[in-house]
Amino acid sequence: AQSVTQLGSHVSVSEGALVLLRCNYSSSVPPYLFWYVQYPNQGLQLLLKYTTGATLVKGINGFEAEFKKSETSFHLTKPSAHMSDAAEYFCAVGTINFGNEKLTFGTGTRLTIIP
Amino acid sequence: SQTIHQWPATLVQPVGSPLSLECTVEGTSNPNLYWYRQAAGRGLQLLFYSVGIGQISSEVPQNLSASRPQDRQFILSSKKLLLSDSGFYLCAWNTATSGMETQYFGPGTRLLVL
């Protein structure tokens, strides 16, 4: 079984400030980890993913996340927030089972950027 | 390149009416297909997934059903809608060539049941 916890359903940061969105997971097998972003009334767009290899993963729009196995975390960061970053962000954990993948999503974090 | 379509984009239906939401994928063959529901203030819940034509797995018991009549078509249905069926429905896909671990999402259908 796998699960994802996103701490903070709403996060507000000032434009130009550091963005930190927290995600902790549990998985009985080595996980695949994802961050998706959802803009209003749109589907989900893949921001970045960790599968194997380097634990610091860089994604689109200047975001990055670090897989920390000891802390079972995959927090999302961006050094300097931009107004266009305002959206909802979902962390997800996945496993592959005979070619059938299941993703378990967190409940999401709504990011607001303060001008 | 691959694209995924969902329609309608928005739907308002009365309680007790039937439902049919359609999802199609272009530019790939034999995709895995998924239906998710995003209820207000909640995360995404996997409803159904399909690894091939006529193969449907249900994740949670509910008032909905899914069908896959063609390789790249995935349909979500209900005979009688409930108020609790309101939400944002997302279709997703992946294949071995796209990277099996990653799912790609469509634009979604917003359903309001009154």
Side-chain angles (χ1 to χ4, degrees):
Chain A
Q2 54 196 34
S3 66
V4 175
T5 301
Q6 290 184 242
L7 297 176
S9 59
H10 292 84
V11 171
S12 296
V13 301
S14 298
E15 190 175 14
L18 171 71
V19 176
L20 171 61
L21 305 182
R22 298 178 185 275
C23 173
N24 289 87
Y25 71 92
S26 69
S27 175
S28 57
V29 298
Y32 297 108
L33 295 162
F34 306 82
W35 276 99
Y36 284 86
V37 59
Q38 184 182 33
Y39 297 102
N41 297 312
Q42 295 186 27
L44 275 69
Q45 179 182 1
L46 181 66
L47 204 55
L48 50 80
K49 66 181 180 183
Y50 167 80
T51 53
T52 58
T55 56
L56 181 63
V57 181
K58 295 186 184 298
I60 62 173
N61 301 337
F63 284 93
E64 61 183 35
E66 186 171 10
F67 170 56
K68 292 187 177 181
K69 185 177 179 180
S70 61
E71 299 177 8
T72 61
S73 69
F74 191 57
H75 301 330
L76 182 70
T77 60
K78 181 175 180 177
S80 178
H82 191 273
M83 294 301 294
S84 61
D85 295 327
E88 188 148 21
Y89 292 80
F90 291 92
C91 181
V93 59
T95 58
I96 291 182
N97 179 23
F98 301 104
N100 179 30
E101 302 66 52
K102 295 186 181 182
L103 292 182
T104 300
F105 285 84
T107 52
T109 298
R110 185 169 299 279
L111 177 64
T112 300
I113 309 299
I114 303 168
Chain B
S1 64
Q2 300 90 354
T3 56
I4 180 169
H5 303 280
Q6 287 186 246
W7 64 88
T10 305
L11 191 60
V12 181
Q13 291 285 96
V15 169
S17 64
L19 174 73
S20 180
L21 303 182
E22 189 164 344
C23 169
T24 59
V25 181
E26 295 178 355
T28 187
S29 59
N30 196 31
N32 296 328
L33 295 170
Y34 306 81
W35 276 113
Y36 289 86
R37 177 170 58 201
Q38 185 180 21
R42 301 179 63 181
L44 278 77
Q45 180 185 36
L46 179 62
L47 302 176
F48 302 95
Y49 64 88
S50 171
V51 299
I53 295 174
Q55 301 180 62
I56 308 295
S57 296
S58 174
E59 285 295 294
V60 293
Q62 58 208 320
N63 184 44
L64 302 168
S65 62
S67 62
R68 186 169 176 176
Q70 300 180 42
D71 181 44
R72 290 171 287 180
Q73 184 184 34
F74 204 22
I75 297 173
L76 184 68
S77 304
S78 174
K79 293 182 179 179
K80 290 185 178 181
L81 284 169
L82 305 173
L83 288 173
S84 57
D85 292 324
S86 293
F88 193 44
Y89 288 83
L90 290 160
C91 182
W93 71 275
N94 63 4
T95 66
T97 55
S98 73
M100 291 291 276
E101 73 283 354
T102 303
Q103 293 180 19
Y104 298 92
F105 286 80
T109 294
R110 188 163 302 281
L111 172 65
L112 179 60
V113 183
L114 301 175

